[in-house]
């Protein structure tokens, strides 16, 4: 059954409201006290910003594989615009759709190639999140150690095969691109730890960080508007396993969401050129 186009955003708004409703229902807001030291916020924002700059550099390298050559400043602006549109469009993929459209209409790039570049980047980021989250969960499940390493090895082989067969244009970036993806997620994880350390020693920080990585996957799915509500609901659901009571889970999840919004909003004010000189674009189809 095909869902009418007009219903899709409505369903995502319903998903957002339902997720936030679950958050309110499960939390005693009368005891909510979001007082967090300035150094926690500063560390979170600085590391989040560093991760976004690294992500823009990763995108630049991938687009260069399809002969799109531009400065790092251009790619920082393009990535910032994409982050802003992620807040407006569903899940964490709306910004990618906007970038594909921009590069096609304004820069005459083949939309299939740019969509493949951003999909490759997205899959690489998801794999890094799942891998890091899984590794941090291992101390909780030591009996699964060898199974986990076997699964990681299988994932690497599968990723290499998929890169070589399905994403041939970007296969040269497999090692560097995935290393950058891991680095991006590590930076965000360290930012989360800056925030989570506020509640130390009352919480299990490695387990809470694993939850953060897994919640980032949930917030990227096109189930809510801008991913808002999905992370909070997951933190409230699984947070007690890491020692996070309702108010603490809400503080951490909202803190991460606010950091994401803070580094994304400047994209609304970024200006990109309507066209790029032909000597900077090669191999246009």
């Amino acid at each position: 059954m095909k869902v009418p186009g007009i219903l899709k955003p409505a369903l995502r708004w319903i998903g957002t409201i339902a997720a936030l409703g679950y958050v309110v229902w499960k939390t005693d807001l009368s005891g909510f006290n979001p007082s967090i030291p300035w150094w926690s916020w500063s560390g979170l924002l600085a590391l989040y910003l560093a991760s976004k700059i690294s992500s823009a550099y990763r995108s630049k390298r991938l687009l260069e594989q399809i002969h799109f050559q531009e400065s790092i400043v251009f790619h920082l602006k393009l990535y910032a615009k994409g982050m802003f549109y992620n807040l407006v469009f569903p899940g964490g993929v709306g910004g990618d759709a906007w970038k594909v459209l921009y590069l096609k209409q304004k820069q005459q790039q083949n939309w299939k190639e740019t969509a493949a570049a951003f999909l490759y980047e997205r899959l690489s980021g998801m794999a890094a999140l799942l891998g890091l989250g899984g590794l941090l969960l291992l101390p909780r499940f030591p009996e699964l150690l060898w199974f986990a390493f076997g699964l990681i090895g299988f994932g690497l082989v599968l990723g290499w095969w998929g890169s070589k067969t399905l994403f041939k244009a970007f296969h040269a970036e497999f090692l560097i691109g995935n290393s950058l993806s891991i680095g991006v997620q590590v930076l965000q994880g360290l930012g989360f730890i800056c925030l989570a350390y506020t509640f130390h020693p009352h919480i299990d920080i490695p387990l809470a960080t694993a939850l953060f990585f897994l919640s980032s996957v949930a917030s990227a799915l096109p189930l809510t508007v801008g991913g808002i509500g999905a992370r909070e609901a997951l933190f409230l659901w699984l947070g007690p396993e890491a020692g996070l009571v309702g108010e603490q889970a809400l503080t951490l999840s909202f803190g991460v969401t606010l950091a994401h919004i803070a580094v994304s909003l400047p994209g609304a004010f970024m200006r990109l050129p309507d066209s790029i000189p032909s000597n900077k674009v090669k191999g246009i189809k």
Side-chain angles (χ1 to χ4, degrees), residues 24-39:
V24 173
W25 174 53
K26 296 291 288 184
T27 306
D28 178 12
L29 294 178
S30 63
F32 180 52
N33 180 17
S35 57
I36 293 179
W38 66 269
W39 59 264

Side-chain angles (χ1 to χ4, degrees), residues 10-271:
L11 290 173
R12 285 162 187 140
W13 275 108
I14 291 173
T16 302
I17 294 170
L20 291 177
Y22 174 79
V23 169
V24 173
W25 174 53
K26 296 291 288 184
T27 306
D28 178 12
L29 294 178
S30 63
F32 180 52
N33 180 17
S35 57
I36 293 179
W38 66 269
W39 59 264
S40 291
W41 284 114
S42 300
L44 173 64
L45 288 172
L47 288 163
Y48 241 70
L49 183 59
S51 77
K52 300 306 181 182
I53 293 172
S54 300
S55 294
Y57 176 66
R58 178 184 56 186
S59 290
K60 178 180 185 295
R61 292 184 62 97
L62 288 174
L63 289 174
E64 285 176 347
Q65 300 303 307
I66 54 174
H67 312 294
F68 184 76
Q69 305 286 338
E70 250 301 329
S71 68
I72 185 62
V73 173
F74 172 88
H75 284 280
L76 285 170
K77 291 181 178 180
L78 180 66
Y79 198 84
K81 294 290 284 187
M83 288 195 301
F84 170 72
Y85 283 109
N86 274 343
L87 296 178
V88 179
F89 297 137
V93 297
D96 289 345
W98 179 87
K99 288 186 287 188
V100 169
L101 186 63
Y102 167 79
L103 290 172
K104 178 180 183 295
Q105 293 186 345
K106 302 297 185 181
Q107 310 303 335
Q108 298 80 49
Q109 289 294 297
N110 184 308
W111 73 268
K112 292 182 180 179
E113 292 182 342
T114 54
F118 295 129
L119 177 59
Y120 188 84
E121 181 182 29
R122 181 68 55 178
L123 291 174
S124 175
M126 289 287 191
L129 284 169
L130 291 172
L132 290 169
L135 287 174
L136 287 173
L137 286 174
L138 278 181
R140 194 72 175 241
F141 305 99
E143 67 276 10
L144 298 178
L145 177 64
W146 292 111
F147 173 78
F149 281 117
L151 190 62
I152 290 173
F154 174 75
L156 287 172
V157 172
L158 182 64
W160 178 271
W161 175 84
S163 174
K164 194 170 184 179
T165 57
L166 302 177
F167 296 93
K168 294 180 181 179
F170 313 105
H171 185 61
E173 286 293 304
F174 181 80
L175 293 177
I176 295 178
N178 281 291
S179 296
L180 284 169
S181 293
I182 293 172
V184 165
Q185 305 308 336
V186 167
L187 285 171
Q188 293 192 12
L190 290 173
F192 173 80
I193 290 173
C194 286
L195 199 63
Y197 204 80
T198 303
F199 301 114
H200 184 74
H202 304 293
I203 67 171
D204 184 337
I205 288 183
L207 187 57
T209 307
L211 178 57
F212 161 73
F213 285 132
L214 298 178
S215 71
S216 295
V217 175
S219 64
L221 298 176
L223 302 176
T224 63
V225 177
I228 297 172
R231 187 192 305 276
E232 288 74 17
L234 192 61
F235 259 80
L236 281 176
W237 178 33
L238 298 176
E241 294 294 324
L244 290 167
V245 297
E247 293 75 23
Q248 293 173 336
L250 190 61
T251 298
L252 289 179
S253 57
F254 274 174
V256 171
T257 298
L258 288 174
H260 175 68
I261 292 173
V263 299
S264 299
L265 283 178
F269 307 99
M270 298 291 180
R271 297 190 63 182

